[in-house]
């Protein structure tokens, strides 16, 4: 069983930055793809960023490309999402997520996720 614990959410002014962290524990070696998705009030989930656990290739939603960066620290089993140039439309609950199915990263879709952390940009 894999556990995901997100942190780093909060409030920022438009144009500001926040960094989200996701500490991973458990059977993490079976994970193929890890990433982030978000859900704003009254809207459906939106995949934000993803990367395969075995290499450095990353995938981003068009809405965040050039502003957000996904990275990982393998020694600390932690996934990050650096968010720059925040916009009010980035306001949402952000979830760290993973999937064990090969080939899922480009679709920014995940089968498992954590509790989420709120991000508010205004």
């Amino acid at each position: 069983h894999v556990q995901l614990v997100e942190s780093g959410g909060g409030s920022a002014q438009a144009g500001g930055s926040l960094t989200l962290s996701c500490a991973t524990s458990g059977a993490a070696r079976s994970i193929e793809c890890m990433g982030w998705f978000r859900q704003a009030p009254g809207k459906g989930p939106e995949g934000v960023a993803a990367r395969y656990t075995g290499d450095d290739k990353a995938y981003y939603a068009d809405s965040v490309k050039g502003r957000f960066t996904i990275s990982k620290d393998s020694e600390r089993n932690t996934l990050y999402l650096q968010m720059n140039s925040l916009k009010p439309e980035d306001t949402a609950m952000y979830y760290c997520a993973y999937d064990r199915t090969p080939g899922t990263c480009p679709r920014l879709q995940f089968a498992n996720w954590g509790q989420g952390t709120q991000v508010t940009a205004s």
Side-chain angles (χ1 to χ4, degrees):
H1 179 66
V2 178
Q3 293 180 321
L4 306 173
V5 180
E6 302 98 331
S7 61
S11 298
Q13 291 185 340
S17 300
L18 284 172
T19 300
L20 305 183
S21 301
C22 174
T24 304
S25 62
R29 290 185 178 181
S30 63
I31 294 175
E32 284 283 333
C33 176
M34 288 200 70
W36 300 85
F37 73 91
R38 65 188 181 186
Q39 187 162 17
K43 296 186 177 181
E46 177 191 15
V48 173
R51 60 179 295 159
Y52 287 111
T53 54
D55 60 42
D56 293 330
K57 187 168 179 60
Y59 303 86
Y60 297 94
D62 288 342
S63 58
V64 306
K65 203 169 292 183
R67 300 188 297 121
F68 290 11
T69 302
I70 186 172
S71 63
K72 68 176 181 179
D73 183 332
S74 297
E75 290 189 0
R76 298 187 177 187
N77 292 323
T78 301
L79 186 74
Y80 301 97
L81 184 68
Q82 174 68 43
M83 304 184 295
N84 298 327
S85 302
L86 283 164
K87 303 177 180 180
E89 51 263 44
D90 294 321
T91 295
M93 185 70 80
Y94 283 71
Y95 297 88
C96 177
Y98 71 91
D99 203 292
R100 293 192 171 95
T101 305
T104 58
C105 268
R107 297 196 299 269
L108 301 179
Q109 294 178 342
F110 313 93
N112 309 277
W113 52 89
Q115 295 297 311
T117 185
Q118 178 68 38
V119 170
T120 302
S122 59

